[in-house]
Amino acid sequence: MENNQFRKLGAKITGLTVGFSVIPLLLLGITIYYQFSKTYTAKITENLATLVTNKARALDLFLDERIAQLRIIAGTQPYAKVSQAEHLEDILRIIRQGSESFIDLGVIDQQGNHVAYCGPYNLQGINYKNEKWFHEVMARGVYVSDVFMGFRKFPHLIIAVMYREGNTSWILRATIDSGVFESLVRSIQQGTHGDAYLVNAAMQFQTTPRFGLTSSLKDHLGTPSRFSGPRIIATSSPSGDSLFGLQWLQRKDWMLIVREDPKEELSPLLRTQHYVLATGLAGMLIILMGTLILTRLMIRQLMRAEQEKALLDESLLQSSKMAALGKMAAGVAHEVNNPLAVIKEKAGWIRDLLEEEDVKNSENFQEFRDSVDKIETHVDRAKKVVHRLLGFARRMEPLREKVDVNAVLEQTLSFLENEAKYRNISITTSMQQNLPRILSDTSQLQQVFLNILNNAIDAIGKGGDISISTQADLRTKELHVTITDSGPGIPRDIEKKIFDPFFTTKQVGKGTGLGLAISYSIIDKLGGTLRLENARNKGASFIITLPLTPQEG
Amino acid sequence: MDAIRVLIVDDEPDLLETMVKRLNRRGLEVTGVDNGEKCLEYLRTNKTDVVVLDVKMPGRDGLEILEEIRKMHPFVQVLMLTGHASVRSGERGMALGAFDYMMKPVSIDELLEKIRQAWIKTRSRS
């Protein structure tokens, strides 16, 4: 497979794995976040509703209490008594002991005349007959005013109750300091952006707001009509989101508005959101890294397998090529051998006849003799080729004897010493001491070593080095023999052909092109491998690998 | 000294003819036949000292003929000629009682020498 295909496969695997792991993670994250946010928002809304209800109830209770107090006074004190200023003052003193919020008390007869008053201002004698609140209290029996500054210059409100004594009615009227409202409402103002205030039906403030009415709420509500129970409104504006809790008071047409900043209230949610986001991102990163590492490992493994397969294919191809060529070589050799024998005999016969006296005297005698010599020489040459061919084809079963590879190499080198010396080639050896003996065939190994060393000497020509090393690898149970020469090396384009029979780079007649093919075949038979390691411009290395323990079969 | 009587058996007529001529020229009394049956037939009627027998022949091969010769003419020495690939059959021939075996193609001088040795052996026995 091409590198490109591997890269594409890697990308596909990475994409799929990441996709299949990240999508569920993403779904999980989104679901968790969404559910949490829903629950949390519901909780906040609920809390706000409870808060606004409770506070509204407290405000109602406050008003109820004041009204009840006034009613008790009106019910228990006869008009004759309360219309006297001194007596009224006593009553004010007594109720002020219970609640500081009472500022003054006044008694008004049914004509609207302020008959008695006690308090810090002089209001006695004022007639309220034309005031709106006077008519309302006369009609309904109780009246609660909006908060106003009035001429007292501080926020207050008025509560008035009517009492009937026989045919006459009178009104007990009290001014209440609305500071109590202020403090009650202010206690609800939460966080740094929270707000709480009371408004009347015309959306006028009854208590001091912290920040004022937000325009977003005003737009949202318009002029609100009464509704029962709490109402939660969420608004958003460029200045920020707001959450409003609204509740009308029962006693008065006032609405309690509590404003919360969802950012503050939801901050645990936002924190969770960040956690979820961070955890999700970290998870994705881990998945991505894991996938990349895994994919790379997998692809590397695949590539290695592919390479091994290619090598195996190559060696199988080489083996089958050898086998086929071996058979053919044997056939060819036999067919060539017989004509060669005939030619040789005929040449011999001519040589015999040349001994005849009359032929000897022929003027072309020398020519005949030379020709016969040449014929015999070339028949011998052909014979050698045929013999080697048959040697290649014969595939003799190798022996299984204990072989000391170092000793075989040294013996082989002794054959070549003179040749090497003559050609000024130095041979260095680095043999592993105590090399384990292997089960192999001494003479066949020697043939291989001789072949490779002869080639090395031929490759160098004159002046150079040959180095030989042996090494046992106990881990892979292999023995390596490396023969390196300082010759010109083997050109890349013929690297693949050097083990083919009849492939030679030597001059015609100098080599048969069978040496390496036979060597390859022998090593193959011995259960090992023979390969070339080419360092260009630095000569060639032949590496023979033999099994330390013999292979079965 | 009597001439050595030699019978050459080979299925390649050119080779056979030439070998016969060359050995005759060297003072031997040589006859050639081109298959095993002819060889056995010849031996029945002609006195022969040495048979040069090619192993690879059509019909009955050299080894079978060798066995026959050993049975019927125990004093005749047999020299086997083998191809390179059939060294083993040469060895088998030795086991079956051949005097020696030679690999083709053989040089005429070596063949002559081997025939002489075989003849000497025949002489010493008879």
Side-chain angles (χ1 to χ4, degrees):
Chain A
M1 239 195 277
E2 294 284 311
N3 264 3
N4 206 16
Q5 277 173 292
F6 276 118
R7 212 169 298 139
K8 265 186 198 159
L9 182 67
K12 217 181 276 176
I13 291 171
T14 310
L16 277 172
T17 316
V18 168
F20 276 114
S21 2
V22 164
I23 288 169
L25 188 72
L26 220 61
L27 282 175
L28 188 72
I30 289 169
T31 311
I32 286 177
Y33 175 70
Y34 181 72
Q35 283 299 332
F36 187 81
S37 138
K38 213 167 98 180
T39 314
Y40 197 79
T41 311
K43 189 84 192 154
I44 284 172
T45 312
E46 203 183 299
N47 282 350
L48 185 57
T50 313
L51 178 78
V52 78
T53 310
N54 288 344
K55 291 299 172 181
R57 202 168 291 156
L59 292 169
D60 271 330
L61 204 62
F62 175 80
L63 289 174
D64 280 348
E65 269 176 21
R66 299 309 92 142
I67 293 165
Q69 271 176 318
L70 290 180
R71 279 208 169 122
I72 288 165
I73 295 162
T76 50
Q77 306 295 323
Y79 176 66
K81 254 181 143 178
V82 293
S83 54
Q84 290 167 19
E86 310 86 55
H87 190 71
L88 201 61
E89 207 150 322
D90 281 345
I91 293 167
L92 181 62
R93 196 164 33 81
I94 292 163
I95 57 171
R96 274 182 70 94
Q97 281 169 3
S99 167
E100 289 277 326
S101 53
F102 283 95
I103 292 161
D104 61 6
L105 271 180
V107 175
I108 296 148
D109 66 13
Q110 65 186 55
Q111 278 79 41
N113 294 316
H114 213 154
V115 289
Y117 171 81
C118 69
Y121 312 103
N122 186 15
L123 300 174
Q124 200 152 357
I126 295 175
N127 190 289
Y128 290 113
K129 201 167 70 182
N130 296 323
E131 296 287 329
K132 222 174 111 196
W133 66 267
F134 177 75
H135 293 288
E136 204 174 315
V137 75
M138 289 305 279
R140 293 195 184 162
V142 63
Y143 167 78
V144 180
S145 77
D146 279 350
V147 175
F148 60 101
M149 297 300 279
F151 38 86
R152 292 182 176 85
K153 303 290 181 206
F154 70 89
H156 61 275
L157 62 103
I158 285 161
I159 298 177
V161 296
M162 183 192 74
Y163 193 75
R164 243 177 252 281
E165 227 176 279
N167 289 329
T168 55
S169 306
W170 56 278
I171 292 163
L172 184 61
R173 175 192 169 282
T175 303
I176 308 287
D177 183 352
S178 69
V180 179
F181 279 165
E182 290 281 339
S183 58
L184 243 171
V185 170
R186 196 166 293 148
S187 72
I188 323 171
Q189 296 174 346
Q190 291 173 334
T192 47
H193 294 99
D195 204 352
Y197 41 82
L198 274 172
V199 292
N200 63 11
M203 295 300 277
Q204 287 162 332
F205 287 117
Q206 302 301 308
T207 60
T208 320
R210 205 166 165 200
F211 300 106
L213 199 58
T214 43
S215 56
S216 60
L217 180 67
K218 236 186 270 177
D219 294 346
H220 193 93
L221 285 176
T223 43
S225 52
R226 256 192 104 87
F227 48 82
S228 63
R231 180 172 289 183
I232 305 296
I233 293 164
T235 65
S236 62
S237 69
S239 55
D241 295 348
S242 302
L243 200 61
F244 293 97
L246 292 79
Q247 168 84 54
W248 288 98
L249 299 194
Q250 282 172 331
R251 184 56 58 198
K252 178 80 183 131
D253 56 346
W254 286 350
M255 186 162 58
L256 175 65
I257 298 178
V258 177
R259 173 175 172 258
E260 280 180 348
D261 186 349
K263 264 192 199 127
E264 269 175 21
E265 292 306 312
L266 295 175
S267 62
L269 179 65
L270 294 174
R271 257 203 308 280
T272 310
Q273 188 182 15
H274 288 146
Y275 286 149
V276 168
L277 200 70
T279 318
L281 278 177
M284 281 183 215
L285 209 69
I286 289 168
I287 288 171
L288 193 70
M289 268 164 60
T291 308
L292 281 177
I293 290 168
L294 249 166
T295 308
R296 190 168 298 174
L297 272 175
M298 214 151 68
I299 295 293
R300 204 172 294 163
Q301 197 64 37
L302 268 175
M303 279 173 106
R304 201 175 301 147
E306 191 79 13
Q307 274 169 2
E308 274 165 17
K309 191 175 158 282
L311 270 178
L312 191 70
D313 282 353
E314 205 172 300
S315 97
L316 273 177
L317 187 72
Q318 186 74 19
S319 290
S320 61
K321 203 154 68 176
M322 290 292 177
L325 277 159
K327 273 183 199 150
M328 211 188 82
V332 169
H334 280 297
E335 287 313 308
V336 172
N337 222 14
N338 284 342
L340 276 183
V342 176
I343 294 167
K344 193 176 162 70
E345 281 312 303
K346 289 289 177 195
W349 179 233
I350 294 169
R351 185 184 291 284
D352 288 351
L353 294 180
L354 285 178
E355 299 305 315
E356 300 276 336
E357 208 56 40
D358 52 337
V359 183
K360 254 186 184 163
N361 294 332
S362 136
E363 59 174 321
N364 286 325
F365 172 75
Q366 199 53 41
E367 289 290 318
F368 286 130
R369 205 141 111 176
D370 286 351
S371 291
V372 171
D373 282 348
K374 278 270 147 49
I375 292 170
E376 286 190 327
T377 309
H378 287 276
V379 166
D380 283 343
R381 190 178 135 196
K383 205 171 88 177
K384 264 188 209 156
V385 173
V386 168
H387 274 213
R388 297 212 70 182
L389 254 185
L390 285 168
F392 167 63
R394 198 168 55 212
R395 305 200 141 235
M396 268 170 55
E397 275 305 312
L399 295 173
R400 291 289 185 201
E401 55 194 358
K402 286 212 164 191
V403 177
D404 178 353
V405 174
N406 283 350
V408 175
L409 271 169
E410 263 152 29
Q411 198 191 352
T412 312
L413 281 175
S414 67
F415 301 149
L416 298 165
E417 256 168 20
N418 283 335
E419 175 82 2
K421 213 176 277 173
Y422 168 69
R423 298 231 211 165
N424 196 21
I425 293 168
S426 67
I427 298 175
T428 52
T429 56
S430 86
M431 315 261 198
Q432 183 183 318
Q433 297 301 309
N434 307 319
L435 198 69
R437 284 166 173 248
I438 59 169
L439 279 182
S440 205
D441 187 317
T442 306
S443 61
Q444 296 205 25
L445 275 184
Q446 194 163 55
Q447 193 184 340
V448 173
F449 295 152
L450 200 61
N451 226 316
I452 294 172
L453 285 166
N454 261 327
N455 280 350
I457 290 172
D458 284 345
I460 293 169
K462 271 189 181 164
D465 319 289
I466 293 172
S467 63
I468 301 164
S469 71
T470 57
Q471 196 189 358
D473 188 339
L474 293 173
R475 195 175 55 78
T476 55
K477 298 202 160 143
E478 282 171 344
L479 190 150
H480 302 286
V481 180
T482 310
I483 299 174
T484 308
D485 66 61
S486 64
I490 292 167
R492 207 134 287 228
D493 52 327
I494 66 163
E495 246 177 56
K496 289 208 165 186
K497 296 190 213 156
I498 58 162
F499 294 117
D500 288 354
F502 304 110
F503 179 81
T504 183
T505 55
K506 295 178 185 174
Q507 278 181 314
V508 178
K510 288 273 168 65
T512 57
L514 285 171
L516 280 177
I518 291 169
S519 299
Y520 186 95
S521 175
I522 287 173
I523 297 295
D524 192 46
K525 269 261 161 182
L526 292 173
T529 57
L530 168 62
R531 66 193 170 84
L532 163 75
E533 209 156 83
N534 208 1
R536 224 178 311 184
N537 305 325
K538 279 183 190 168
S541 269
F542 282 91
I543 298 159
I544 300 159
T545 305
L546 291 164
L548 275 181
T549 47
Q551 286 175 342
E552 294 302 317
Chain B
M1 195 173 84
D2 294 337
I4 307 170
R5 287 160 297 184
V6 179
L7 175 67
I8 301 182
V9 190
D10 198 308
D11 61 321
E12 183 78 49
D14 286 339
L15 190 68
L16 183 66
E17 178 206 350
T18 318
M19 273 165 78
V20 170
K21 276 198 273 187
R22 293 187 78 191
L23 289 174
N24 272 334
R25 195 184 165 80
R26 280 163 177 77
L28 276 63
E29 204 175 283
V30 187
T31 314
V33 290
D34 63 359
N35 66 46
E37 293 301 335
K38 281 184 189 164
C39 159
L40 293 176
E41 201 182 309
Y42 178 86
L43 287 180
R44 269 200 288 274
T45 50
N46 299 285
K47 274 204 124 190
T48 306
D49 299 313
V50 179
V51 175
V52 177
L53 185 61
D54 189 15
V55 173
K56 211 180 145 232
M57 280 189 299
R60 300 174 76 185
D61 76 3
L63 290 173
E64 284 174 62
I65 302 299
L66 171 65
E67 277 181 85
E68 292 276 320
I69 295 171
R70 293 314 300 169
K71 268 190 267 173
M72 291 159 68
H73 313 281
F75 299 114
V76 173
Q77 293 298 325
V78 181
L79 260 175
M80 307 291 292
L81 284 185
T82 75
H84 185 86
S86 47
V87 177
R88 295 245 163 100
S89 47
E91 282 161 359
R92 271 193 62 203
M94 295 282 286
L96 291 170
F99 173 74
D100 205 347
Y101 69 93
M102 298 182 81
M103 240 188 283
K104 282 213 274 188
V106 299
S107 95
I108 197 79
D109 295 331
E110 280 173 36
L111 182 61
L112 196 60
E113 183 53 34
K114 278 267 151 55
I115 290 170
R116 284 224 170 91
Q117 285 171 8
W119 179 71
I120 288 163
K121 199 173 171 187
T122 314
R123 267 304 179 78
S124 61
R125 282 205 188 168
S126 53

